Every structure is written in structure tokens, then in C-alpha cells.
Amino acid sequence: MAAPEHPHDEHPGGAVAVTGPELPPDRRARAVRAYHALPAEDRREAVGLARQGRRHPDERVAAVAWWYAAAVLQPRWYNRVPVVVLPLVALALEVVAFAVDAWPVALLGLVTLLVGAGLAWQRASTTPLLRLMRPADTPE
């Protein structure tokens, strides 16, 4: 069964979460390793060009970057949650923590905020890559 080229999940309010095709764990691991094997300059250039809606001129770099984005943005619940949800949960936890004077709840709110920031950064850097045209499947 072939996955759609650009799967999207609609959220209430019109927000769209971009997710990649379902990939087996070994394929995801290879895509991440291949991306991190690229020189940092190529990675930065691929993301920068993708934010402008353009592919990297080197097709190998463009393909590696796209497969990395597909591996990172798997269709999982945490990739479908709107980016604003975790900061709102963190804020609610902080309010509760100060209201009941419970430092563990405040710490949980801080951890939730940091996780939310990490997920937002990950999406911001990989979604533009995934929105570009899917490269031809490369032989394993």
C-alpha cells in the first residue's frame, strides 16, 4: 500500500499537521543517520532553501533531507498535536503549582514547556523539507 505523497491531518480550527509516510524503524534509522552524515553546511542550506520553497540543487542532499523529515515527522499522536497545546498545558501546570504551592508540579510544567519547545523546533525545521516534492525511492 503506497502512502500519500503529503499526508495531512486537519485539526479543529484549520491547523494542519504535516506528517510523512509510515516508515519501518530500520528505514527511519537509516534516514536519520544519512542526514547527520551530511556536512552541516548542506543540512543548513537544505532547510534554508526548503523554507523558501526550493529544493537543494544537489539531488542527493535534497533526497536525504526529505527522507530525514519523513522519518522525523511520522504519523504519530505527538506529531498531530497542535504546537500550542504543550505550552498551554505547561502554563496550566505552573498556575496550579503556584496555587497549591507544589514545586513538583512546577517542575513538571517546566519539563512540559521544554518538550513543547523541542517539538516546535523539530517541526519548524523539518516541515518545509517534507512539503517539497517527494524524491524517487532510492534502492536500499
Side-chain angles (χ1 to χ4, degrees):
M1 178 172 91
E5 196 165 318
H6 293 290
H8 300 291
D9 295 315
E10 291 289 336
H11 290 291
V16 177
V18 177
T19 58
E22 183 73 36
L23 297 175
D26 63 319
R27 180 66 178 106
R28 288 194 312 261
R30 282 196 310 271
V32 170
R33 278 194 308 270
Y35 183 75
H36 289 294
L38 289 174
E41 183 179 326
D42 284 345
R43 292 193 308 258
R44 281 192 300 273
E45 189 176 5
V47 171
L49 289 170
R51 287 185 178 144
Q52 298 171 13
R54 300 181 359 218
R55 290 174 63 85
H56 194 280
D58 182 344
E59 278 303 311
R60 181 184 165 279
V61 172
V64 167
W66 191 93
W67 283 107
Y68 169 75
V72 170
L73 294 175
Q74 286 293 283
R76 305 282 190 271
W77 69 268
Y78 49 84
N79 282 329
R80 292 183 175 134
V81 174
V83 174
V84 298
V85 169
L86 284 175
L88 290 176
V89 169
L91 179 63
L93 287 169
E94 293 301 321
V95 168
V96 169
F98 286 111
V100 298
D101 195 25
W103 69 266
V105 177
L107 185 60
L108 179 62
L110 179 61
V111 169
T112 303
L113 183 64
L114 293 174
V115 168
L119 287 174
W121 177 82
Q122 180 185 47
R123 284 190 202 169
S125 64
T126 55
T127 298
L129 292 167
L130 198 61
R131 288 188 188 275
L132 297 175
M133 183 180 71
R134 179 179 177 162
D137 289 337
T138 54
E140 300 300 323

